[in-house]
């Protein structure tokens, strides 16, 4: 009981440390696991035992026999399903071919290159070298996402890394399983003629079960055949059921099944999707916390001494600095990605939970069967996992600045609220080259925004998940445009530092408009317009107008007109380069530099010649 409770407490503590210092949680989790496991047994324990023993030894331990790895497999299936839920097909319209090549051509290059390196540097057998190579193909979402959250990047770059990290997990697992089966059959004196048949079965059953049961679960949820209080646990049971059922028909096809199941559900229009994602995300955090500590604690000090040699550093350097860039550059050849973006993608390739979990499982099984060099699998994979995470967590932000992919000027705009007013503004901003994201808790508003091909997210502003969304890395402005003054104020107070570094604005309240001469600095558009007036004008004149400005006095005279006329609301200033500036509530202080500048406004047209409204 003490051990199990201790793992959960230490795991959540590690997650908090990771959040506090903005590093991937895998780093403190593995270090804690090593501390309570092999390090404690070697240096800290009086009787030479681990503080936490994952496998039952006869008088101590948590999991008897191979049950630890059954738990690991089920936990990984939930983590990958949650990752699949976050994949949106609309994200890859510009980089779909790049992602496809990275998880196919790039994986093949990593597989062959890493195997050759392991064979010649460590002098392992070819079988063990290829098993090691299959395990380190993966770049997991559990480590990619925390790194990308803290770096403002071009959307295409972050999308490539996110999708690669999630989709490549089942591919790496599949390759490792095929190599493992080859080794185990060879030790029995058989030749694996059925390898390609097994591969086909994994793909067939994994994709079929994942696609079919995703649609079945979606129908059950939308038809409300399951009560709301059972929704999340029913979905959890369904994921585990699909994972197990697929594995029964084709060994190790379950990972592919749950990723596809998550992708299909994630791209559905289910109104319960966000709630399901929140639950799975919280569960994934808990499972990751437990898994990494367990797997790291399961390593023995003798295993670590095996790789305490210069060859380990050489193998790590070749995999990270030679094989990874080679795979990325070949996979992205002819794409729209720039050289600096390819360099950054090459640099960021941390390995995660799937590599660590399957390595522990296969390493133990092969060592028990007496396969030569099997004892190297787990520690070598853990070195790659820990080393790549440590390297990327500490240098990715700096490297992004060095190669020039770091967005110093975050020009994206986050609009809180997706009402007709917000959709109208968002569409105008998008057509003028700004990345716009609308958020709203109303699925109907989000659906209408997506019909206009606007990027929109169904979310609750009071949830902490918004800050974790790596698709918002280039956001530098926030505009709170809801009908609730409390929500608008909350959005600005909570997210102005993260999303509003260049400007954080909200609509004024009726009371603030009455307070003559004293207006909050974050006020938006004018001192006389709130959500109701914006909605009224949008209903009467649902279009955005532009009028060219002659000079500063011309602009000020137009502002006087908008003050008197309730059917005109100033929105933006467009300069002679086409760049847009958001007009604050103290709109008279905007500086106009001459002809070629425009006042962008909502409402009825001006008579250009007389500078009057018509």
């Amino acid at each position: 009981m003490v051990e199990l409770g201790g793992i959960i407490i230490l795991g959540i503590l590690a997650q908090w440390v990771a959040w506090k210092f903005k590093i991937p949680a895998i780093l403190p989790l593995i270090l804690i696991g090593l501390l309570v496991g092999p390090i404690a047994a070697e240096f800290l324990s009086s009787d030479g035992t681990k503080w936490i023993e994952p496998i039952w030894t006869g008088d101590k331990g948590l999991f008897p026999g191979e049950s630890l790895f059954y738990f690991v497999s089920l936990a990984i299936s939930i983590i990958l399903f949650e990752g699949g839920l976050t994949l949106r097909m609309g994200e890859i319209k510009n980089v779909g071919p790049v992602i496809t090549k990275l998880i196919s051509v790039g994986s093949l290059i990593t597989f062959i290159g890493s195997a050759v390196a392991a064979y010649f540097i460590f002098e392992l057998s070819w079988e063990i070298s290829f098993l090691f190579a299959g395990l380190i193909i993966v770049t997991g979402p559990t480590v990619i996402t925390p790194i990308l959250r803290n770096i403002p990047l071009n959307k295409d770059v972050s999308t490539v890394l996110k999708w690669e990290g999630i989709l490549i997990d089942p591919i790496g697992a599949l390759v490792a399983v095929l190599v493992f089966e080859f080794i185990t059959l060879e030790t029995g004196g058989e030749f694996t003629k059925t390898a390609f048949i097994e591969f086909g079965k994994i793909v067939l059953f994994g994709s079929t079960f994942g696609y079919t049961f995703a649609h079945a679960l979606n129908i059950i949820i939308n038809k409300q055949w399951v009560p709301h209080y059972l929704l999340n646990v029913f979905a959890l049971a369904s994921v585990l059921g699909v994972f197990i059922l697929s594995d029964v028909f084709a060994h190790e096809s379950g990972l592919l099944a749950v990723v596809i199941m998550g992708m299909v559900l994630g791209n559905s229009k289910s109104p319960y999707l966000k709630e399901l994602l929140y639950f799975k995300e919280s569960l994934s955090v808990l499972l990751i916390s437990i898994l990494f500590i367990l797997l790291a604690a399961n390593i023995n000090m003798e295993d670590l001494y095996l790789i305490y040699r210069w060859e380990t550093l050489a193998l790590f350097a070749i995999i990270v600095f030679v094989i990874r860039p080679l795979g990325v550059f070949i996979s992205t050849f002819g794409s729209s990605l720039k050289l600096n973006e390819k360099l950054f993608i090459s640099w960021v390739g941390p390995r995660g939970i799937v590599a660590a979990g399957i390595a522990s499982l296969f390493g133990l099984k092969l060592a028990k069967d007496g396969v030569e060099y099997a004892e190297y699998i787990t520690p070598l994979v853990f070195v790659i996992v820990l080393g790549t995470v440590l390297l990327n967590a500490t240098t990715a932000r700096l490297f992004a600045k060095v190669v020039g992919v770091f967005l110093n000027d975050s020009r994206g705009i986050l609009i809180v609220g997706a009402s007709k007013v917000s959709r109208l503004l968002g569409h105008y901003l998008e057509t003028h080259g700004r990345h716009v994201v609308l958020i709203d808790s109303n699925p109907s508003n989000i659906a209408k925004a997506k019909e206009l091909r606007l990027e929109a997210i169904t979310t609750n502003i009071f949830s902490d998940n918004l800050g974790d969304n790596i698709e918002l890395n280039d956001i530098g402005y926030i505009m709170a445009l809801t009908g609730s003054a409390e929500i608008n104020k909350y959005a600005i107070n909570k997210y102005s530092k993260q999303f509003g570094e260049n400007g954080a604005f909200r609509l004024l309240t009726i009371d603030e408009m009455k307070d003559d001469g004293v207006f909050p600095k974050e006020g938006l558009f004018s001192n006389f317009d709130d959500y109701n007036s914006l909605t009224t004008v949008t209903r009467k004149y649902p279009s955005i107008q532009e009028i060219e400005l002659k000079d500063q006095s011309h602009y000020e005279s137009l502002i006087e007109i908008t003050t008197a006329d309730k059917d005109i609301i100033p929105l933006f200033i467009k300069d002679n380069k086409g760049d847009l500036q958001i007009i604050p509530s103290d709109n008279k202080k905007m500086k106009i530099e001459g002809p070629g500048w425009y006042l962008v406004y909502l409402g009825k047209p001006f008579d250009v010649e007389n500078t009057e409204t018509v």
Side-chain angles (χ1 to χ4, degrees):
M1 183 177 70
V2 174
E3 287 184 327
L4 187 57
I7 289 174
I8 296 174
I9 293 169
L10 290 172
I12 300 306
L13 177 62
Q15 292 281 357
W16 180 85
V17 169
W19 167 80
K20 184 67 176 178
F21 294 99
K22 296 184 177 181
I23 59 174
I26 187 176
L27 197 54
L29 286 169
I30 288 182
L31 293 177
I32 288 174
L34 292 174
L35 177 64
V36 300
I39 294 176
E42 184 76 7
F43 303 108
L44 305 176
S45 179
S46 58
D47 58 357
T49 61
K50 298 175 181 178
W51 288 349
I52 293 179
E53 183 65 69
I55 296 180
W56 180 255
T57 59
D59 58 350
K60 186 179 182 181
L62 295 171
F63 295 88
E66 295 184 355
S67 57
L68 168 64
F69 302 106
Y70 300 147
F71 171 73
V72 170
S73 297
L74 293 173
I76 290 175
S77 71
I78 296 170
I79 294 168
L80 290 185
F81 173 74
E82 188 266 329
L85 283 174
T86 66
L87 297 179
R88 302 289 185 270
M89 298 304 295
E91 296 173 352
I92 61 172
K93 56 184 177 182
N94 297 326
V95 290
V98 170
I99 296 169
T100 302
K101 290 178 182 177
L102 273 175
I103 63 176
S104 55
V105 177
S107 296
L108 182 62
I109 292 171
T110 302
F111 181 57
I112 295 175
S114 300
V116 171
Y119 178 79
F120 285 104
I121 293 175
F122 258 87
E123 299 181 349
L124 305 177
S125 65
W126 278 115
E127 293 89 346
I128 295 298
S129 297
F130 275 109
L131 179 59
F132 164 77
L135 289 166
I136 64 164
I137 285 175
V138 299
T139 60
T142 57
V143 286
I144 286 275
T145 304
I147 291 172
L148 297 182
R149 280 176 192 160
N150 303 309
I151 308 174
L153 296 169
N154 175 286
K155 184 184 176 185
D156 287 345
V157 175
S158 60
T159 298
V160 166
L161 287 168
K162 183 181 103 172
W163 275 71
E164 180 200 16
I166 294 173
L167 293 181
I168 209 168
D169 268 355
I171 292 174
L174 188 152
V175 172
V177 166
L178 290 178
V179 178
F180 174 76
E181 300 243 345
F182 176 85
I183 295 172
T184 52
L185 286 174
E186 281 293 282
T187 56
E190 302 174 18
F191 182 72
T192 173
K193 296 179 181 179
T194 59
F196 287 103
I197 297 176
E198 290 299 316
F199 177 84
K201 285 172 63 179
I202 289 172
V203 174
L204 174 64
F205 285 106
S207 56
T208 302
F209 279 114
Y211 184 83
T212 303
F213 283 98
H215 283 289
L217 179 60
N218 197 30
I219 291 172
I220 291 172
I221 291 174
N222 291 335
K223 295 285 187 180
Q224 297 183 355
W225 291 343
V226 175
H228 188 267
Y229 78 95
L230 284 179
L231 176 64
N232 289 327
V233 290
F234 180 84
L236 172 62
S238 301
V239 172
L240 295 176
V242 169
F243 174 78
I244 294 169
L245 184 63
S246 185
D247 252 26
V248 168
F249 281 85
H251 187 51
E252 299 298 342
S253 65
L255 292 180
L256 180 61
V258 295
V259 169
I260 291 177
M261 187 178 182
M263 284 180 60
V264 173
L265 275 175
N267 287 276
S268 69
K269 296 182 179 180
S270 173
Y272 303 101
L273 179 61
K274 206 66 183 180
E275 184 179 349
L276 186 62
L277 185 57
Y278 289 156
F279 171 71
K280 288 294 186 292
E281 193 167 35
S282 299
L283 187 59
S284 293
V285 169
L286 178 61
L287 290 174
I288 289 168
S289 303
I290 295 172
L291 283 179
F292 274 117
I293 292 179
L294 281 174
L295 294 176
N298 195 49
I299 297 175
N300 296 315
M301 208 66 194
E302 294 78 14
D303 299 331
L304 297 179
Y305 286 140
L306 282 174
I307 59 171
Y308 187 64
R309 44 198 279 201
W310 70 266
E311 288 92 343
T312 304
L313 185 61
L315 180 62
F316 177 83
I318 288 176
I319 290 171
V320 173
F321 302 120
V322 178
I323 296 174
R324 170 68 176 175
L326 182 65
V328 169
F329 273 83
I330 291 177
S331 300
T332 57
F333 181 77
S335 70
S336 60
L337 293 174
K338 300 175 183 177
L339 176 61
N340 60 344
E341 294 171 338
K342 295 177 183 179
L343 285 171
F344 183 77
I345 294 172
S346 300
W347 187 262
V348 179
R351 275 60 175 180
I353 186 65
V354 172
I358 299 179
S360 297
L361 174 61
F362 288 173
L364 184 69
K365 285 184 176 180
L366 293 176
K368 188 180 294 184
D369 291 339
V371 177
E372 192 177 11
Y373 304 114
E375 66 273 13
Y376 283 90
I377 286 295
T378 302
L380 274 180
V381 170
F382 265 81
V383 164
I384 301 300
V385 170
L386 191 58
T388 52
V389 171
L390 183 61
L391 176 69
N392 291 154
T394 55
T395 64
R397 187 178 180 91
L398 176 62
F399 191 78
K401 292 180 179 180
V402 170
V403 299
V405 298
F406 191 93
L407 295 179
N408 293 309
D409 182 18
S410 302
R411 291 168 46 81
I413 301 175
L414 177 68
I415 299 179
V416 181
S419 64
K420 187 171 183 178
V421 175
S422 300
R423 299 194 297 269
L424 189 63
L425 295 179
H427 185 264
Y428 176 85
L429 290 166
E430 279 277 0
T431 57
H432 284 76
R434 304 297 282 270
H435 175 215
V436 177
V437 179
L438 282 72
I439 61 172
D440 201 311
S441 59
N442 186 332
S444 176
N445 284 342
I446 295 298
K448 291 176 182 177
K450 289 181 176 179
E451 289 175 2
L452 296 173
R453 297 186 177 180
L454 294 171
E455 187 174 343
I457 303 172
T458 305
T459 189
N460 187 331
I461 194 67
F462 298 105
S463 168
D464 290 330
N465 294 292
L466 185 64
D468 296 336
N469 194 322
I470 65 174
E471 303 306 321
L472 304 178
N473 281 353
D474 66 340
I475 298 297
Y477 297 86
I478 181 170
M479 298 167 61
L481 301 177
T482 76
S484 168
E486 289 74 20
I487 289 178
N488 292 340
K489 289 179 180 179
Y490 179 86
I492 295 300
N493 292 334
K494 184 173 183 178
Y495 293 113
S496 59
K497 287 185 179 180
Q498 183 172 1
F499 298 129
E501 58 180 322
N502 296 325
F505 305 94
R506 64 172 175 82
L507 296 175
L508 297 182
T509 66
I510 294 177
D511 292 337
E512 288 170 338
M513 290 189 296
K514 292 177 181 178
D515 193 0
D516 189 29
V518 181
F519 304 105
K521 61 180 181 179
E522 68 267 20
L524 191 58
F525 302 146
S526 81
N527 297 330
F528 306 96
D529 295 295
D530 61 0
Y531 180 80
N532 291 332
S533 58
L534 274 169
T535 303
T536 300
V537 175
T538 300
R539 186 171 60 250
K540 294 169 65 176
Y541 303 98
S543 62
I544 293 178
Q545 316 285 343
E546 296 180 0
I547 182 170
E548 186 170 7
L549 301 170
K550 300 173 184 176
D551 49 32
Q552 184 71 30
S553 61
H554 184 211
Y555 166 74
E556 292 175 0
S557 66
L558 290 178
I559 290 298
E560 290 293 337
I561 294 174
T562 64
T563 301
D565 194 324
K566 299 303 180 184
D567 285 337
I568 304 175
I569 300 175
L571 302 174
F572 312 110
I573 294 295
K574 185 167 75 172
D575 65 19
N576 53 9
K577 296 180 181 178
D579 291 333
L580 295 170
Q581 300 176 40
I582 299 172
I583 296 178
S585 57
D586 195 2
N587 48 33
K588 293 183 180 179
K589 292 185 177 181
M590 294 291 291
K591 298 299 180 183
I592 308 302
E593 296 183 8
W597 289 51
Y598 289 81
L599 172 65
V600 180
Y601 65 94
L602 176 68
K604 58 187 179 183
F606 277 103
D607 182 333
V608 178
E609 293 184 0
N610 300 316
T611 317
E612 296 177 352
T613 57
V614 296

